[in-house]
Amino acid sequence: MSTPTEPRMWTTRVRERAVGALPPEKLLPDSQPVYMASWIYIFGVLTLTSLIVIIASGSILALKGPGWWHFTGIGHFFNSVHLWSVELFFFFMVIHLWGKYWMAAWRGGRARVWMTGAVAFLVAVPCALTGYVSQQNFDAQWISTQAKDGLNAAGVGSFFNVTNFGQMYSYHVFLLPLAVVAIVIAHVLLVRKHGIVPPFELPKAGAEPAAAPAVPSAAPGSSPKAPA
């Protein structure tokens, strides 16, 4: 007499699907291909490192408030760390995106890897803008008034009031960073799933290029004829 099988829990199904989509040997590999020794592959890691510094320094600034980062020495320090980590984040990300573009990083079923990276860059741009207008200084006032004119000209100024510190601050410290982090996590998981894109294969040393087909020469005194 067979015993009835117990129904599987939903946690079991989620675990099995997660392990099937991303096995541990892909999520945390212990070896990498030899071509990763090239410098072009390091800029993605540098981008992630800059993002970690941005989140850490930004969290401290958000907890302490504008009075702290404007009027104390340690506040000036963390404000500078946050600013320069943002500058490095975009610098490394642009090099990473262009490098992967010229390497055709969407090869081998990696289209979603490329698209999530590009979308992360696009979402990070308004995140940086809201940070500039949240500085609570004369630079922020100037940037916000100029940005307001641009948004009004685009017809979206009534939805995004860059002169409203409370609205911009909430976008900058919560909504947009959460979106950037979520997209970056998805990007990294897709990279782990599909693997690092390999470089293009170069012709082997000593291999002769394919010869062009010979074109028959016309007889002396006759004019060449166009192909039929």
Side-chain angles (χ1 to χ4, degrees), residues 150-172:
L151 292 175
N152 287 339
V156 295
S158 59
F159 300 98
F160 305 102
N161 185 6
V162 290
T163 60
N164 186 332
F165 170 74
Q167 183 184 17
M168 292 300 101
Y169 198 62
S170 63
Y171 277 125
H172 181 68

Side-chain angles (χ1 to χ4, degrees), residues 13-202:
R13 296 193 296 269
V14 171
R15 184 194 65 209
E16 291 176 351
R17 294 191 62 178
V19 173
L22 197 64
E25 59 271 15
K26 286 188 176 182
L27 182 61
L28 296 172
D30 53 8
S31 62
Q32 292 291 353
V34 66
Y35 53 77
M36 282 197 64
S38 174
W39 273 97
I40 192 61
Y41 290 97
I42 200 65
F43 290 99
V45 178
L46 292 176
T47 304
L48 292 175
T49 305
S50 302
L51 180 60
I52 293 172
V53 177
I54 290 172
I55 295 173
S57 58
S59 299
I60 296 173
L61 292 173
L63 291 173
K64 302 298 289 186
W68 182 73
W69 73 62
H70 279 308
F71 301 110
T72 65
I74 189 67
H76 291 162
F77 172 76
F78 276 97
N79 193 26
S80 299
V81 169
H82 189 66
L83 171 64
W84 284 106
S85 59
V86 172
E87 302 287 348
L88 291 175
F89 173 77
F90 278 97
F91 176 75
F92 294 141
M93 181 182 278
V94 168
I95 297 178
H96 181 59
L97 283 175
W98 275 110
K100 295 307 176 182
Y101 174 81
W102 293 113
M103 291 177 63
W106 48 85
R107 291 176 288 137
R110 297 180 177 87
R112 289 184 296 174
V113 178
W114 166 256
M115 288 188 290
T116 52
V119 171
F121 174 77
L122 295 177
V123 177
V125 171
C127 189
L129 173 62
T130 54
Y132 279 120
V133 300
S134 299
Q135 297 178 93
Q136 291 290 285
N137 55 16
F138 289 112
D139 288 341
Q141 294 179 22
W142 171 258
I143 296 171
S144 61
T145 53
Q146 300 304 307
K148 183 63 175 175
D149 292 338
L151 292 175
N152 287 339
V156 295
S158 59
F159 300 98
F160 305 102
N161 185 6
V162 290
T163 60
N164 186 332
F165 170 74
Q167 183 184 17
M168 292 300 101
Y169 198 62
S170 63
Y171 277 125
H172 181 68
V173 303
F174 181 68
L175 295 178
L176 292 174
L178 188 63
V180 171
V181 171
I183 298 171
V184 168
I185 291 175
H187 178 73
V188 173
L189 291 178
L190 288 171
V191 171
R192 290 301 188 187
K193 179 179 180 180
H194 296 284
I196 306 295
V197 62
F200 288 106
E201 294 185 4
L202 298 177

